């Protein structure tokens, strides 16, 4: 199906293979996991249901491969990453096609995801060469009681085997955002893609294979979470976990051993709109922030908190834009496409019905066909409604009318999430005060929340995550500091 001969070896019959020890393999389990197309709700692809024995083998090889990779010069690691980035971009069409079929990502956005991923890999190679090429030199006499008898040299060393678990909504981009920093820093990588998105991820991994990375350094294991999920995340051979997804991340962090964790677990990003805001700009940002990829982004605007005095005008502006959103299949590049699974659609519907029962104002008629849910703005939402707090991960956006900025900040901070937020005002001084008061990892002033550009730090507070991402932070997170101390027989001070 890939439309490219380059990917012929990654499939056997109609089941995609997994990648281990530099080869594409069939699982000895003889079982497969079906991938349901969100639009047709039929099986689109099948991937191998790998076993725990196969996971053990993969981690064993990853350990060995990492030892030699750590001895590979930094510039050579960067060179291979640049090569993989170029191959990835060259094959953007077949990979994007998988994203369209597996996760119903609109065709244009699917291509953008692959191109952005290639750029991320290249940037990571360049950043790694710079930051890993530097260390620190410290002298002992700055600490009280010491003469200048000790020189301390610090450098960054790899952690070992990094387990990468990306989510369905960016199975390529959020995979490479973990793979590239891990590799440039001298680690090996074991990728467990989400079930939906696995085939796009396997195609992406093949680009790394074509680039010529050493055998076993990059592996990709597919299968049921219930069979290999805990086994992978609790595996003693794993030295670091980078996970993006939902609540599962909380369970992983409780079970994982004493290893560094990087977690990004969703958000309930609040959009606070002041009386002096540019309401046209706010409306455009709400549409982009709330409805792009049908609201299935952790950084989506998930609640609008608008000053009551400007609420009517804002709602009118947003509604006129909602009316222009196209709804339909991802192949037609529609703005609103089917949500990823039927259970997702059912969950979203549950939130909508709860809001209906409790008296929210429906700005549009609620409409659903299969997994396709029409965009909906819910006005006059109150804190007793589930949708005021829970993330729909769908094209349904609650709006709460507030009477003071403090009320908006209070609502934002009462959430158990703290990923991003945004504030719209023409008064930069007020914006800074509000940003400082919001308990979120990032606050965007006069724009919708977003992770990118991908070199910006990206982090969530509270249940939104552990650690910070973004290219530089991820490279640093996937290393440890190593010190070598030179002890001199007598104090030595530099002169002149
Ligand atoms: O879904 C979570 C992603 O990290 C959001 O990324 O802001 O680029 O859509 P994005």
């Amino acid at each position: 199906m890939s439309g490219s001969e380059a990917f012929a070896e990654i499939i056997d019959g109609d089941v995609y293979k997994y990648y281990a020890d530099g080869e594409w393999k069939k699982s000895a389990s003889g079982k497969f996991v079906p991938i349901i197309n969100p639009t047709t709700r039929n099986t689109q692809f099948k991937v191998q249901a790998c076993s725990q024995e196969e996971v053990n083998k993969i981690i064993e090889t990853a350990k060995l491969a990492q030892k030699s990779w750590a001895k590979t010069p930094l510039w050579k690691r960067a060179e291979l990453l640049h090569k993989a980035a170029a191959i990835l971009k060259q094959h953007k069409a077949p990979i994007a096609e998988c994203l369209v079929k597996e996760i119903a990502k609109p065709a244009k956005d699917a291509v953008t995801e692959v191109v952005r991923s290639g750029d991320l890999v290249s940037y990571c190679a360049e950043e790694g060469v710079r930051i890993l090429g530097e260390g620190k030199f410290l002298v002992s006499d700055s600490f009280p009681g010491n003469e200048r008898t000790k020189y301390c040299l610090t450098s960054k060393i790899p952690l070992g085997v990094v387990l990468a678990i990306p989510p369905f909504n960016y199975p390529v981009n959020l995979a490479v955002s973990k793979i590239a920093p891990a590799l440039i820093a001298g680690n090996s990588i074991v990728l467990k893609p989400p079930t939906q998105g696995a085939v796009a991820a396997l195609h992406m991994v093949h680009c790394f294979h074509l680039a010529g990375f050493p055998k076993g350094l990059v592996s990709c294991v597919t299968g049921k979470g219930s069979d290999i999920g805990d086994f992978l995340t609790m595996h003693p051979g794993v030295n670091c976990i980078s996970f993006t997804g939902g609540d599962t991340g909380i369970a992983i962090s409780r079970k994982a051993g004493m290893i560094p964790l990087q977690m990004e677990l969703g958000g309930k990003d609040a959009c606070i709109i002041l009386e002096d805001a540019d309401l046209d700009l706010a409306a455009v940002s709400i549409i982009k922030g709330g409805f792009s990829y049908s609201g299935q982004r952790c950084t989506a605007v998930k609640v609008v908190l608008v000053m009551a005095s400007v609420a009517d005008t804002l709602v009118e502006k947003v509604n006129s834009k909602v009316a222009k959103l196209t709804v339909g299949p991802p192949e037609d590049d529609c703005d609103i496409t089917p949500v990823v699974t039927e259970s997702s659609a059912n969950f979203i519907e549950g939130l909508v019905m709860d809001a209906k029962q409790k008296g929210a104002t429906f700005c549009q008629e609620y409409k659903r066909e299969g997994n396709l849910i029409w965009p909906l703005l819910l006005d006059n939402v109150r804190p007793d409604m589930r949708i005021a707090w829970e993330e729909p991960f769908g094209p349904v956006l609650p709006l709460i009318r507030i009477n003071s900025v403090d009320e908006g900040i209070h609502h934002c901070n009462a959430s158990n999430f703290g990923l991003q937020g945004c504030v719209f005002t023409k008064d930069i001084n007020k914006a800074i005060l509000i940003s400082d008061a919001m308990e979120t990892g990032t606050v965007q002033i006069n724009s919708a929340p977003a992770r990118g550009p991908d070199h910006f730090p990206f982090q969530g507070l509270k249940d939104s995550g552990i650690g910070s991402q973004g290219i530089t932070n991820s490279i640093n997170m996937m290393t440890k500091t190593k010190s070598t101390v030179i002890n001199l027989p007598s104090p030595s001070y530099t002169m002149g």
Side-chain angles (χ1 to χ4, degrees), residues 383-452:
D384 63 320
M385 299 175 190
R386 284 176 56 203
I387 201 157
W389 304 105
E390 296 178 42
E391 38 169 6
F393 235 68
V396 175
L397 183 60
L399 181 143
I400 299 178
R401 294 173 178 236
I402 52 172
N403 292 305
S404 70
V405 173
D406 282 348
E407 203 183 322
I409 295 169
H410 175 78
H411 187 93
C412 167
N413 292 350
S415 170
N416 56 330
F417 288 116
L419 188 60
Q420 292 209 358
C422 58
V423 54
F424 286 84
T425 171
K426 290 184 187 127
D427 184 335
I428 188 67
N429 297 325
K430 269 192 207 160
I432 299 286
L433 291 175
I434 294 167
S435 168
D436 283 346
M438 288 169 81
E439 293 168 6
T440 61
T442 302
V443 174
Q444 304 270 350
I445 297 173
N446 293 324
S447 188
R451 172 166 49 109

Side-chain angles (χ1 to χ4, degrees), residues 116 167 169-170 173-174 244 264 296-299 393 419 449-452 454 458:
R116 173 183 180 183
N169 59 352
Y170 286 96
N173 184 261
L174 281 169
T244 306
E264 201 249 282
Q296 298 174 109
R297 296 165 53 238
C298 54
T299 48
F393 235 68
L419 188 60
R451 172 166 49 109
D454 290 327
F458 178 53

Side-chain angles (χ1 to χ4, degrees), residues 50-130:
C50 291
S51 65
Q52 296 187 352
E53 291 69 44
E54 283 156 344
V55 168
N56 274 336
K57 189 88 191 76
I58 280 176
I59 292 176
E60 208 177 289
T61 2
K63 258 196 147 28
L64 283 175
Q66 190 271 326
K67 299 281 175 226
S68 339
W69 182 243
K71 290 183 192 157
T72 305
L74 194 46
W75 67 266
K76 276 197 183 172
R77 292 184 219 157
E79 202 172 70
L80 277 174
L81 281 168
H82 280 301
K83 203 169 164 194
I87 298 172
L88 191 60
K89 283 178 158 182
Q90 182 193 339
H91 295 296
K92 61 181 189 281
I95 301 175
E97 197 186 324
C98 298
L99 293 171
V100 169
K101 302 288 181 212
E102 277 183 292
I103 60 164
K105 186 162 274 198
K108 249 192 237 148
D109 295 351
V111 173
T112 304
E113 173 170 349
V114 184
V115 174
R116 173 183 180 183
S117 301
D119 291 340
L120 192 157
V121 174
S122 292
Y123 194 105
C124 211
E126 286 162 20
E127 185 72 347
V129 164
R130 281 192 288 269

Side-chain angles (χ1 to χ4, degrees), residues 134-451:
E134 280 182 356
K136 260 189 175 178
F137 171 60
L138 293 96
V139 288
S140 51
D141 66 314
S142 54
F143 198 86
N146 284 270
E147 287 286 3
R148 201 171 189 270
T149 51
K150 291 173 188 287
Y151 294 169
C152 178
L153 306 172
T154 73
S155 59
K156 289 177 185 127
I157 57 168
L159 298 176
V161 178
V162 174
L163 172 63
I165 310 182
F168 81 84
N169 59 352
Y170 286 96
V172 174
N173 184 261
L174 281 169
V176 300
S177 75
K178 303 169 191 317
I179 294 171
L183 292 178
I184 193 68
N187 300 287
S188 60
I189 193 96
V190 175
L191 173 69
K192 164 65 181 77
T195 296
Q196 260 163 300
V199 174
L202 291 167
H203 279 69
M204 173 274 293
V205 167
H206 193 53
C207 296
F208 281 75
H209 170 79
L210 295 173
F213 280 89
K215 280 184 173 194
L217 189 70
V218 178
S219 320
C220 185
V221 58
T222 54
K224 284 191 176 163
S226 53
D227 290 343
I228 57 168
D230 277 357
F231 191 75
L232 267 166
T233 54
M234 294 165 75
H235 201 289
V238 167
N239 306 111
C240 168
I241 303 175
S242 178
F243 173 92
T244 306
D247 289 355
T248 318
I250 297 179
I252 292 176
S253 61
R254 290 201 178 111
K255 290 183 206 161
M258 227 175 71
I259 55 172
L261 300 176
Q262 188 180 48
M263 295 269 159
E264 201 249 282
L265 314 179
K268 184 73 185 170
D269 293 7
C271 173
I272 301 179
I273 297 173
L274 272 53
E275 282 158 324
D276 70 343
D278 176 339
L279 296 181
D280 289 308
L281 175 66
V284 169
S285 304
I286 287 169
I287 294 293
K288 186 165 180 269
F291 296 104
S292 55
Y293 188 35
S294 306
Q296 298 174 109
R297 296 165 53 238
C298 54
T299 48
V301 168
K302 297 209 179 91
V303 58
V304 177
L305 301 154
V306 56
M307 289 297 286
S309 56
V310 293
D312 284 342
T313 318
L314 179 79
V315 167
E316 203 182 299
K317 287 179 189 293
V318 173
N319 279 338
S320 75
K321 293 185 191 307
V322 169
K324 289 186 191 131
L325 292 173
T326 53
V327 182
E331 288 83 354
D332 294 353
D333 217 20
C334 290
D335 299 314
I336 304 295
T337 55
V339 296
V340 71
T341 58
E342 192 173 340
S343 65
S344 263
N346 292 343
F347 176 77
I348 297 162
E349 185 163 295
L351 294 181
V352 171
M353 291 309 142
D354 174 77
K356 185 176 188 180
Q357 194 207 326
K358 291 175 182 159
T361 307
F362 279 51
C363 296
Q364 293 78 24
E365 185 196 345
Y366 173 67
K367 199 172 158 196
R368 170 182 171 186
E369 274 171 21
N371 294 358
L372 185 61
I373 294 177
W374 269 249
L376 175 62
L377 180 72
L378 293 172
D379 194 359
N380 294 305
V381 165
R382 292 189 320 266
D384 63 320
M385 299 175 190
R386 284 176 56 203
I387 201 157
W389 304 105
E390 296 178 42
E391 38 169 6
F393 235 68
V396 175
L397 183 60
L399 181 143
I400 299 178
R401 294 173 178 236
I402 52 172
N403 292 305
S404 70
V405 173
D406 282 348
E407 203 183 322
I409 295 169
H410 175 78
H411 187 93
C412 167
N413 292 350
S415 170
N416 56 330
F417 288 116
L419 188 60
Q420 292 209 358
C422 58
V423 54
F424 286 84
T425 171
K426 290 184 187 127
D427 184 335
I428 188 67
N429 297 325
K430 269 192 207 160
I432 299 286
L433 291 175
I434 294 167
S435 168
D436 283 346
M438 288 169 81
E439 293 168 6
T440 61
T442 302
V443 174
Q444 304 270 350
I445 297 173
N446 293 324
S447 188
R451 172 166 49 109

